[in-house]
Amino acid sequence: MTDKTSSPRKPWNAFATPTIGKAVRGLSRLLHHGGSAFPGKVVEMIDPGFLARTLGQLRYGVVLVSGTNGKTTTTRMVASILEDLNLKVFTNPTGSNFTRGVVSALLTEVSASGKLDADIAVLELDEAYAVHFVHQVKPRYSLLLNVMRDQLDRFGEIDNTARLLSHVAQATTGTVVLNREDRRIAALANVVPQGTQVRYFGLSDELRKLFPSDDDMHAGDLSAAEKAAAKVEGVNTALASAVAPAVAGSDSQVDTTTSHDVFDSAGDRIIPKLDARETVSASSAMTDSLASRRLADVVLNRVGDHEAEFVMDDAEFETKVQLEGAYNLFNAAAALAVVRAASEQIENVDTTLPRARDERLMRALSHVTPAFGRGEVITVDEAPVELLLVKNPMGFRMSLASFAPAGHDTMIVINDEYADGRDMSWLWDVDFTSLRGTGVKMVSGVRAWDMALRLEYEGVKVVQTDTDIEEAVRSFVTANPGTPKHIYCTYTAMLKVRSELGKYAKVADAGVGK
C-alpha cells in the first residue's frame, strides 16, 4: 500500500538539517526551554520538506490520532500495543501536538544522515494542525476521538472543529476509525474517499449515560439556543423580505473570512476557510440518527476499578489496566480498534486466528501506563501526588467524576498561555459541586483569582490562592505529609508543576524538561 504522500524536493542544505535541528534541541534543553517545539519550528523554516521526507521512509505509514480529549493517552496506548506486536514505533510522547512538535520528536530519533529507524509512526495532532499535517503527509490510518467545546478562541464552535477533522478523514489512505457515539465524528464517514475503509468504536447501551457527549452536557443550552436561533431567524426572514427589493441586483458581498477560520498566536489565519462541499454541518450531524446503530469494531462493554470488558467480533474480553479514569477505558476501545485495523496489514501478525490476536492485544493493553501529566502519579514524601490535565469543560467534569476528592488534598492550577487557550470562560461550564465537601487547599496559576472566584460561586471553600506556581506547589506538597493529593492543571501549568515537583521527588524526563 502507498500513501500517495508527495515528496517535496530536497533543498541543497537538507543534508545538514538533522545536525542543525539536534544542535538547536540540545541548546534549548540546556537553557531549560524544554525542546518539545522550538527545534521543530527552526527546522520547518530551513527545510519545509523534512517532515514528509522523513515519515515517507516508514514501511507501514502513519497512524494519526486527533480529537478534543484523550489524544495523548490514546496515542500512547496505540504505540505501546503496536510495539508489543514487535514493531518499531515512532511517536510524539510529549503531547506537543503541532507539526513543529512532531518535527522536534523526529530530531531525537533520526540519524545524522536523516535515517528514521522505525516501521510505523503513531502521532497525535492538534485538531487545527492536523490539517497542516495531512497537507504534507497522508496518514494510512486515522483515529478521530471526539469533538467538544475547547479553546473557543482558536477553534470556534465544535461544528468548526468537526470540519477541521474532516480534512483528516478525506486524506486518509487506509482506514478511518470513528467514535460511533459522537454524532459529529460518526458523520465524517460521509467524507471518507472511495477505497478507504471506515470502522467504529463505541459503548454498550448501559455505558452511554456514563460518557455524556458535548451535546448531552449542553442539552439545556442547546434548547435555549435553538429557541433563540429560531427567533432570530424569524426576525431575519422578515427583514430580508423587507429589504430584498432594495438590494436585488447589487454587487454587495458578504465577508465570510472569519466564521470558520483558525488563527495562530500571531493572529495569522492558519486554516483556510472551507467551502460548502467540505463541511460537515451541525444539523446533519445532529440529525444523524443512524450513528448509534452503526456496527462497532470494538465496544466498551463494562468498566470497573482498573479493569474493563470489551466486545470484539461478538466475543468478550476482560483485562486489568493501569490507566486512571473511566474515560481512558473508552479511549482504550478506540486504540484497540485502530490497532486491529493496522494489524491486518502487518506481515508478522497472524490474523487467521482473530481471538488469539485480540487476546494478545488485551495483554498489551494491560501493560500501558498513564502518559505524563494525565493521571501520572509522582510520590512526594511517600504520598502520591496525581497530576490531572484539564483543558475544557467535559475533560474537567470527567476528571472530577473519576477521582473522588475524599481523603485527598486538592490543588487547581490554571494558566492561559497559547497552548492552554486564552479564553478561560469555560471554567463556568464545569460542575465543581463534588469539591464542596473537602474544599480546595490551593489555587494557583496566571488565572488563579478567576478560578477562586468560580469556586466561590460554586460554594467551594478555597484555603489559599497564590499566583506564584513554584511557591504554591511547595506549600501544597509539603503540607499534610502522607495525605494523597490531586493537582488539576492546564497544559502549561502542568509543565511548571511537574518541573517544581522535581525538586521534591523523582520525576521522569518526558522530553519537555523537568
Side-chain angles (χ1 to χ4, degrees):
M1 177 183 292
T2 62
D3 298 324
K4 303 174 184 175
T5 298
S6 61
S7 299
R9 179 180 297 177
K10 274 187 177 181
W12 68 270
N13 57 343
F15 72 92
T17 299
T19 301
I20 294 172
K22 286 174 180 289
V24 173
R25 186 176 188 278
L27 183 62
S28 181
R29 289 177 63 80
L30 187 64
L31 297 175
H32 303 288
H33 291 299
S36 65
F38 180 68
K41 186 175 182 178
V42 172
V43 167
E44 284 185 326
M45 289 190 293
I46 65 173
D47 185 358
F50 175 78
L51 177 67
R53 199 168 64 243
T54 306
L55 293 179
Q57 303 172 26
L58 297 169
R59 183 180 185 185
Y60 295 117
V62 172
V63 181
L64 190 159
V65 181
S66 193
T68 304
N69 285 334
K71 292 186 288 291
T72 301
T73 297
T74 306
T75 298
R76 183 179 178 88
M77 283 190 270
V78 175
S80 296
I81 297 171
L82 287 173
E83 285 176 342
D84 199 75
L85 297 177
N86 298 321
L87 291 180
K88 292 181 180 178
V89 180
F90 165 71
T91 188
N92 54 337
T94 67
S96 182
N97 53 27
F98 295 177
T99 51
R100 70 192 61 159
V102 176
V103 173
S104 290
L106 278 172
L107 292 170
T108 67
E109 299 296 327
V110 298
S111 66
S113 64
K115 173 68 175 176
L116 177 62
D117 185 19
D119 301 309
I120 191 170
V122 182
L123 304 173
E124 71 158 288
L125 270 298
D126 167 275
E127 299 91 297
Y129 277 87
V131 182
H132 272 312
F133 182 86
V134 300
H135 283 168
Q136 301 177 63
V137 179
K138 306 295 184 189
R140 193 169 300 179
Y141 310 94
S142 61
L143 173 55
L144 304 180
L145 298 171
N146 46 58
V147 286
M148 298 178 181
R149 284 168 176 79
D150 180 27
Q151 299 189 51
L152 296 180
D153 51 326
R154 283 188 66 211
F155 296 131
E157 281 296 335
I158 57 176
D159 293 320
N160 196 44
T161 308
R163 291 185 184 95
L164 296 174
L165 294 179
S166 73
H167 284 273
V168 177
Q170 288 174 313
T172 303
T173 62
T175 303
V176 177
V177 178
L178 303 171
N179 180 351
R180 182 183 68 177
E181 316 304 340
D182 186 315
R183 287 182 285 186
R184 290 177 178 81
I185 291 293
L188 296 180
N190 298 326
V191 303
V192 171
Q194 188 174 10
T196 297
Q197 295 186 29
V198 177
R199 298 192 181 185
Y200 300 92
F201 63 97
L203 296 165
S204 66
D205 291 342
E206 292 73 20
L207 288 183
R208 284 179 183 167
K209 61 181 180 296
L210 297 180
F211 297 88
S213 68
D214 196 277
D215 290 338
D216 295 330
M217 193 177 77
H218 292 280
D221 299 339
L222 286 174
S223 178
E226 286 168 354
K227 292 176 182 177
K231 184 177 181 179
V232 170
E233 184 177 359
V235 172
N236 287 343
T237 300
L239 287 172
S241 299
V243 302
V247 300
S250 73
D251 295 328
S252 62
Q253 295 183 339
V254 178
D255 179 4
T256 60
T257 60
T258 60
S259 61
H260 301 308
D261 295 346
V262 176
F263 298 87
D264 67 12
S265 57
D268 297 326
R269 194 174 72 189
I270 59 174
I271 304 300
K273 183 183 182 300
L274 307 175
D275 65 34
R277 292 168 299 177
E278 299 173 300
T279 62
V280 180
S281 70
S283 58
S284 66
M286 293 292 291
T287 58
D288 187 2
S289 60
L290 291 177
S292 63
R293 293 198 291 273
R294 290 184 168 105
L295 184 63
D297 198 44
V298 179
V299 171
L300 177 60
N301 201 40
R302 184 180 62 80
V303 300
D305 182 13
H306 292 88
E307 62 182 19
E309 179 183 277
F310 302 91
V311 175
M312 295 179 277
D313 293 337
D314 295 325
E316 296 177 351
F317 298 84
E318 292 184 354
T319 186
K320 296 286 185 182
V321 296
Q322 300 181 50
L323 302 167
E324 301 291 342
Y327 49 88
N328 277 328
L329 301 179
F330 192 29
N331 292 333
L336 290 168
V338 77
V339 170
R340 291 181 100 230
S343 69
E344 294 172 4
Q345 304 298 324
I346 298 171
E347 294 173 358
N348 64 348
V349 178
D350 183 0
T351 57
T352 60
L353 298 172
R355 182 167 184 93
R357 185 270 313 269
D358 292 335
E359 287 176 343
R360 184 178 179 184
L361 299 186
M362 299 302 287
R363 287 194 296 274
L365 177 63
S366 70
H367 299 150
V368 180
T369 55
F372 84 103
R374 282 82 171 171
E376 179 185 18
V377 178
I378 298 172
T379 301
V380 180
D381 290 338
E382 300 182 352
V385 178
E386 202 152 11
L387 292 182
L388 302 164
L389 178 69
V390 291
K391 61 192 188 78
N392 53 53
M394 182 59 76
F396 213 147
R397 284 188 180 200
M398 294 297 288
S399 284
L400 288 170
S402 297
F403 299 94
H408 294 72
D409 288 345
T410 299
M411 177 177 182
I412 301 176
V413 192
I414 304 296
N415 275 358
D416 65 354
E417 296 180 22
Y418 179 63
D420 306 297
R422 300 289 191 192
D423 180 1
M424 286 292 139
S425 61
W426 61 266
L427 291 172
W428 293 85
D429 288 333
V430 182
D431 182 355
F432 292 101
T433 54
S434 63
L435 297 174
R436 284 177 181 167
T438 59
V440 173
K441 292 292 190 296
M442 177 68 74
V443 174
S444 186
V446 176
R447 301 295 286 269
W449 290 107
D450 296 74
M451 187 68 244
L453 178 64
R454 173 69 187 95
L455 293 172
E456 174 71 18
Y457 270 82
E458 197 72 81
V460 177
K461 180 182 179 182
V462 175
V463 175
Q464 187 176 354
T465 301
D466 188 344
T467 57
D468 185 331
I469 293 178
E470 292 185 5
E471 179 57 29
V473 169
R474 185 200 64 75
S475 177
F476 179 70
V477 299
T478 57
N480 299 327
T483 301
K485 296 173 172 60
H486 292 155
I487 302 181
Y488 297 92
C489 38
T490 58
Y491 182 71
T492 67
M494 182 266 290
L495 297 181
K496 291 182 179 178
V497 168
R498 208 169 176 276
S499 175
E500 190 62 21
L501 287 176
K503 297 178 181 177
Y504 306 95
K506 183 178 180 180
V507 177
D509 185 356
V512 293
K514 292 184 178 180

